[in-house]
Amino acid sequence: MSLFLEYARSTDLYRSLCAVFPSDDGNLLEQTNDRIAAAQTEFLRWALHQADPKVILETGTNKGMFIYFVSLVARGVTIHTFDTDPRSAQAVELINRAQQNVAAVFHEGDTRQTLKELNVSPQFAWIDGGHEADIPLNDLMQCFRLRIPYVAVDDTAYPTVHGAVQYMLENTPYEALGNPFAHHDRRKALLLHLGDGQR
């Protein structure tokens, strides 16, 4: 296990987030093996370095592990995070109380409705929400509506997510920057970039 992962999993805040609600779903730091967790955190460090964001959009809040991760590697960031599970609000509250590096704003509901109402200018998105039906494509198209220059997409191993990414690459100015750590990431996260002329 990397020193970063060892530290991230050792804090009181991490333990509190794990206990917010029981879940077998994998996430960035919990319910995943060390190799995948290391690959994903290194990928996100690399992607965040590319974007240098002050505002981030996230779909799939879950227990707040992405927000927690960002709080360990960045400062002065606002994260708008979306989930259908109202229990995720408790995770966001815990993070906001426990640290001052990031401020998280929780939006409850189906992103096919709630993302349409977002009117901010994120520089980075982490798309890790629903994989069913048209949800991945909706989330990515909303990123295009907001002209988010860097969009990291998790779980492209899912056919619906892979298909949504392919649609974006074929029908919008987004290009794939890939993932330097893909050989250890079975969930196949990748980074998309919107050309400068389209922002």
Side-chain angles (χ1 to χ4, degrees):
M1 186 188 313
S2 72
L3 289 176
F4 175 81
L5 277 181
E6 188 174 347
Y7 171 74
R9 288 169 168 168
S10 72
T11 69
D12 290 341
L13 177 54
Y14 173 75
R15 286 188 284 272
S16 296
L17 293 173
C18 290
V20 167
F21 56 85
S23 173
D24 292 329
D25 288 344
N27 59 47
L28 188 60
L29 296 170
E30 184 198 22
Q31 305 288 353
T32 190
N33 69 43
D34 293 346
R35 179 173 284 190
I36 294 173
Q40 290 226 308
T41 53
E42 289 306 310
F43 162 73
L44 283 168
R45 267 193 220 253
W46 169 77
L48 288 165
H49 178 75
Q50 307 296 315
D52 190 24
K54 292 302 176 189
V55 180
I56 293 174
L57 181 157
E58 177 198 18
T59 62
T61 313
N62 195 263
K63 297 184 183 183
M65 293 298 175
F66 171 74
I67 306 166
Y68 170 61
F69 164 78
V70 176
S71 79
L72 297 177
V73 300
R75 291 186 178 188
V77 176
T78 299
I79 302 172
H80 290 268
T81 183
F82 292 75
D83 206 292
T84 57
D85 193 330
R87 297 175 298 177
S88 295
Q90 184 181 346
V92 171
E93 290 172 13
L94 284 170
I95 295 167
N96 283 335
R97 283 201 309 263
Q99 54 74 51
Q100 297 180 335
N101 290 338
V102 303
V105 181
F106 179 61
H107 304 262
E108 182 186 339
D110 188 321
T111 54
R112 287 172 290 191
Q113 301 303 319
T114 55
L115 270 179
K116 294 176 185 176
E117 301 165 4
L118 187 67
N119 189 23
V120 297
S121 299
Q123 297 84 44
F124 183 83
W126 175 232
I127 302 302
D128 189 21
H131 306 130
E132 306 82 26
D134 61 337
I135 295 173
L137 182 57
N138 170 80
D139 293 354
L140 288 174
M141 289 301 292
Q142 290 300 319
C143 290
F144 182 48
R145 175 183 70 83
L146 293 167
R147 297 299 191 266
I148 303 177
Y150 291 91
V151 178
V153 187
D154 198 18
D155 294 321
T156 68
Y158 283 81
T160 51
V161 181
H162 177 77
V165 168
Q166 286 304 118
Y167 181 89
M168 296 297 287
L169 293 175
E170 293 168 7
N171 295 281
T172 75
Y174 278 104
E175 60 181 357
L177 298 186
N179 179 348
F181 308 93
H183 55 288
H184 291 308
D185 182 8
R186 287 187 306 195
R187 300 199 322 229
K188 299 187 181 295
L190 62 82
L191 183 63
L192 304 178
H193 178 242
L194 185 63
D196 291 338
Q198 297 298 318
R199 289 186 231 160

